[in-house]
Amino acid sequence: MSGTNMPERGFQISRRQALVALGLAGVAGVDAVTSTSSAYAGDRSDVPTISGRVVAVGIPGASAIAPIGTFLPGSPINSNPVLAAFTQPGRVCDPTRVLVGSRSNFGAPKANEDQEAGAFLSIDPGSADLAVPAGFAASGGQASALGGAVQMYSAQSPNWRNGVYTPGAVTADQTAVANPLGMSINNAFGRFWPANAPYGLNGPGSSSIADPDGRPLNNALNPSTGGVYFDDITGRAPVQVVAGALSKAAVGTALIGRSPDGSGRAVFAVVVADGSIVQEHTVKALDGIAPPRTVQPLVNRSWGHDTGHGGRAALPRLGVLMSYSPEVVLYVSQPFDDSIKVITLTIGGPAGNEVFVPSGIRTIRSSGLDQPLDLAPVRIEIVHPDRASNTTLQPGSDFYVCNRGNDTIVRMHQDGTVVGVRRVRVGRHSLGAARLNGIATSTDGSRIWVTYVGALPGSDDDQGGILELPTF
């Protein structure tokens, strides 16, 4: 079933061949064509601070965070009464809530014992000082705690196997979520797309299309993949247009939009821990976009210092954003290079099977970047019928960069110019041994949410949690 193991024939091209054809196969793969620098002394003691409040604690390895937002009229969730019921006030996919990734199943039994546990929780961000109960989801379903302020969305547990809705899929035994590191939500015309590291950074990764019940896609149009892409067994069949696979962990993801092949189906970009980027088509499965080492790899990486129990459990991850005007551009943070890779996409491939291919690559470098592990739009695209997503920038929007190294947030123009920097505090205190591990903005642009791992000063919780901050 693997497109990546097929001999080249017809229109199939290798990732290297695609880049050679585009004139991007330079020294060290496809590294920077241009570079943007912006001087800012990120370690200066006079950096302004931004004070946050604690929303929740007790989230082991708290990682990706995303506002659920409103699914647009005509989207599968909005237009289906069964699915739309999950978005009603107080329900697990209430538009005002946030999803946050964790390395814990919160008591839910594992579906696959050889894989890491992990879940996405649905949390009411208007709450304060929530202490998430460690075993509240032992029932194995979309359990609720603390008066509904905390709810299980999906976990690495049997209730959320791909085979529940698509028993014949080659990934029937895989779950929608397993040690999640990324989340992109297709509010325009789709569903939830987690990115997972079920075997850690060096093992095969997975990415899924999940319904509001947390299970992989029901009534999947591709019965072979169902709603889960995994390793090299869900490549486009019989042959890929551009070679690619989730041979390592999926460490970040973003909606690109509708496929250029005229089908109208969703396509997502997924960054792999080996530094490659793949594209996932709802019907035609997986193709590559760019080869390994296009983005600085995260395989064999660790944060390298102890930040408490939760900090040791946190895997390196990265942020991915998409800008669609005037060009389609992916922004990918590179935490171990203190930079952001910028990849412009165009359309290539045969008629009827067009795919996204890179047309230009540059690198943003700035002294304001210190282990930039995640990105978030300053203004999220919420109305475009093909683009609306928590990972999509409104035209001309700046973006926020979450720096793990010095616990700062940088506001940056799309050309790499630093607009402002804030050092994160809780009240009047520093984060102490805790470290930032993710960032999201509210759909109305009024709030920033960050995840952290480790213990905050004065706290007896060393797992991780969520802070809310004002925007700037």
Side-chain angles (χ1 to χ4, degrees), residues 275-295:
S276 64
I277 305 174
V278 301
Q279 56 193 306
E280 295 173 351
H281 189 294
T282 306
V283 177
K284 297 177 180 178
L286 186 150
D287 285 285
I289 288 180
R293 306 193 68 82
T294 298
V295 175

Side-chain angles (χ1 to χ4, degrees), residues 51-364:
S51 181
R53 67 176 184 87
V54 177
V55 175
V57 301
I59 306 174
S63 58
I65 184 167
I68 292 174
T70 300
F71 290 89
L72 298 184
S75 69
I77 292 177
N78 179 283
S79 61
N80 183 322
V82 174
L83 300 183
F86 287 86
T87 69
Q88 295 304 302
R91 295 292 303 274
V92 68
C93 295
D94 178 339
T96 66
R97 299 172 73 93
V98 297
L99 294 182
V100 59
S102 172
R103 295 201 72 180
S104 173
N105 268 17
F106 295 93
K110 277 188 173 184
N112 299 304
E113 287 298 327
D114 62 329
Q115 294 184 0
E116 298 283 344
F120 268 103
L121 301 181
S122 169
I123 290 182
D124 174 8
S127 302
D129 297 314
L130 298 170
V132 180
F136 84 94
S139 64
Q142 283 188 324
S144 178
L146 305 178
V150 176
Q151 298 177 40
M152 173 61 73
Y153 169 64
S154 187
Q156 203 270 90
S157 195
N159 182 60
W160 294 287
R161 287 188 191 273
N162 196 20
V164 173
Y165 290 139
T166 315
V170 295
T171 50
D173 60 334
Q174 301 299 316
T175 54
V177 172
N179 193 15
L181 297 181
M183 171 64 81
S184 184
I185 302 174
N186 184 352
N187 297 104
F189 62 104
R191 294 171 173 82
F192 302 83
W193 290 64
N196 307 305
Y199 294 98
L201 293 176
N202 294 347
S206 71
S207 176
S208 66
I209 315 169
D211 279 332
D213 61 5
R215 289 172 175 161
L217 187 63
N218 194 5
N219 296 315
L221 295 176
N222 186 329
S224 178
T225 59
V228 179
Y229 307 84
F230 177 73
D231 197 6
D232 64 352
I233 65 173
T234 47
R236 180 194 292 251
V239 65
Q240 291 179 310
V241 177
V242 181
L246 294 171
S247 56
K248 303 296 180 185
V251 293
T253 184
L255 169 68
I256 302 177
R258 294 187 190 273
S259 173
D261 64 8
S263 67
R265 301 302 176 184
V267 176
F268 276 70
V270 180
V271 180
V272 186
D274 62 6
S276 64
I277 305 174
V278 301
Q279 56 193 306
E280 295 173 351
H281 189 294
T282 306
V283 177
K284 297 177 180 178
L286 186 150
D287 285 285
I289 288 180
R293 306 193 68 82
T294 298
V295 175
Q296 188 187 55
L298 295 185
V299 290
N300 300 316
R301 292 285 195 172
S302 68
W303 292 125
H305 60 273
D306 189 355
T307 58
H309 175 76
R312 287 196 303 272
L315 288 177
R317 52 184 298 270
L318 50 74
V320 190
L321 295 179
M322 191 272 294
S323 174
Y324 66 90
S325 179
E327 298 177 291
V328 176
V329 179
L330 293 177
Y331 293 84
V332 184
S333 65
Q334 301 188 122
F336 294 98
D337 188 55
D338 294 337
S339 65
I340 298 169
K341 191 60 63 77
V342 185
I343 303 162
T344 302
L345 300 180
T346 189
I347 298 170
N353 281 303
E354 293 89 347
V355 295
F356 292 102
V357 295
S359 61
I361 301 178
R362 62 185 176 92
T363 300
I364 293 173

